[in-house]
Amino acid sequence: MTTHIYSGPLSMFGAKVEIAAREKGVPFELVMVPFTTDDAYEPKHPEVLRVNPVKQQVPVLTDDIDGGVALFDSTQISEYLEDRYPGPESLALWPAGIAERARARQLEQKSDEVFFPNVIRLFGLQHDMKSAPAVAACAACARFYEELEGLLASRECEYLAGPYSFADIAFYMAHVFADRKGAGMTGATPRLVAWRDRVGARPAVRAVVDPMMRFLASQGRGVPAFLQR
């Protein structure tokens, strides 16, 4: 049986899926879809168009199990990988406990839908980071960092939802892009900085993030200071 993951060199959501697959030891073939700085993800990969015809975005996963599975959306793919490769043979990336799993799902959703929209706003404001919208977006990111700092302090845990989970992968990648765009962490959140170091040191994370940073450097784009190795 063959699993394919379709991603892109600067796809945050694709990176989430690839890290999860590597953490779980999933055998897969990675397909990097066409990307250029001028045309972005044009022309679209035909398999991406087939599986995700409306949004036309990566990540996409295909698996020939039981007549074939074709999925898009990083959260849905992570849920599928958890079902497809359950523990103890494979690392569990969603907590087993009902409450912990619910917290992990909520944190992952907030990373994508509450935190990351502020980062997206910064993409179009790099020319004027002192403007009111840019300052507001950075402040919103800082408040989110403080919220997670408080979470780590109150629960006295090393990871966001107790055990290491997809919630950690999701927020780590969202933070990488936030730092790139001027909304990095500071000394005000030491527990969260230590969390970032723990997650970033994982082999599966480095296997995905390091090539992304090399690609950025090759394009003359900025690489976050904490990833300049």
Side-chain angles (χ1 to χ4, degrees):
M1 295 182 181
T2 303
T3 300
H4 289 87
I5 293 174
Y6 296 82
S7 186
L10 291 180
S11 172
M12 184 195 84
F13 295 100
K16 287 169 54 179
V17 168
E18 188 186 349
I19 291 170
R22 290 181 180 276
E23 291 281 17
K24 294 186 70 64
V26 173
F28 68 94
E29 294 183 15
L30 178 65
V31 179
M32 283 292 185
V33 303
F35 175 86
T36 67
T37 52
D38 292 330
D39 298 323
Y41 290 101
E42 298 288 349
K44 303 290 186 182
H45 192 286
E47 194 68 350
V48 173
L49 292 176
R50 180 184 75 83
V51 179
N52 192 4
V54 177
K55 289 193 172 183
Q56 303 182 2
Q57 297 171 341
V58 293
V60 160
L61 177 144
T62 61
D63 192 341
D64 58 10
I65 185 176
D66 295 339
V69 171
L71 299 170
F72 62 91
D73 182 80
S74 60
T75 305
Q76 300 302 315
I77 293 172
S78 74
E79 298 265 354
Y80 170 76
L81 291 175
E82 195 75 353
D83 291 338
R84 175 83 160 84
Y85 298 93
E89 296 82 6
S90 177
L91 175 67
L93 286 180
W94 291 106
I98 293 174
E100 282 189 334
R101 183 171 289 221
R103 283 192 288 265
R105 285 173 169 161
Q106 184 76 93
L107 285 164
E108 192 262 347
Q109 193 270 346
K110 289 176 72 174
S111 293
D112 288 356
E113 304 296 336
V114 177
F115 176 79
F116 197 61
N118 295 298
V119 181
I120 293 174
R121 293 184 188 99
L122 291 173
F123 275 59
L125 296 169
Q126 295 298 287
H127 64 288
D128 190 4
M129 288 296 289
K130 293 184 178 180
S131 66
V135 170
C138 288
C141 290
R143 287 193 297 273
F144 199 85
Y145 295 148
E146 291 169 1
E147 177 184 337
L148 295 187
E149 177 78 4
L151 175 67
L152 291 170
S154 65
R155 301 193 65 203
E156 297 183 350
C157 53
E158 292 190 337
Y159 297 106
L160 298 179
Y164 177 69
S165 72
F166 194 66
D168 297 289
I169 296 170
F171 184 65
Y172 182 87
M173 287 310 309
H175 166 63
V176 168
F177 277 73
D179 192 291
R180 282 186 58 216
K181 297 302 176 181
M185 296 177 191
T186 69
T189 56
R191 292 179 180 83
L192 195 60
V193 171
W195 164 88
R196 181 184 69 187
D197 293 342
R198 280 192 294 274
V199 175
R202 297 182 69 88
V205 175
R206 292 200 62 168
V208 177
V209 173
D210 286 2
M212 181 180 283
M213 296 305 107
R214 288 195 294 270
F215 180 84
L216 282 170
S218 73
Q219 299 287 312
R221 302 188 186 192
V223 174
F226 73 94
L227 289 173
Q228 292 177 5
R229 345 187 198 264

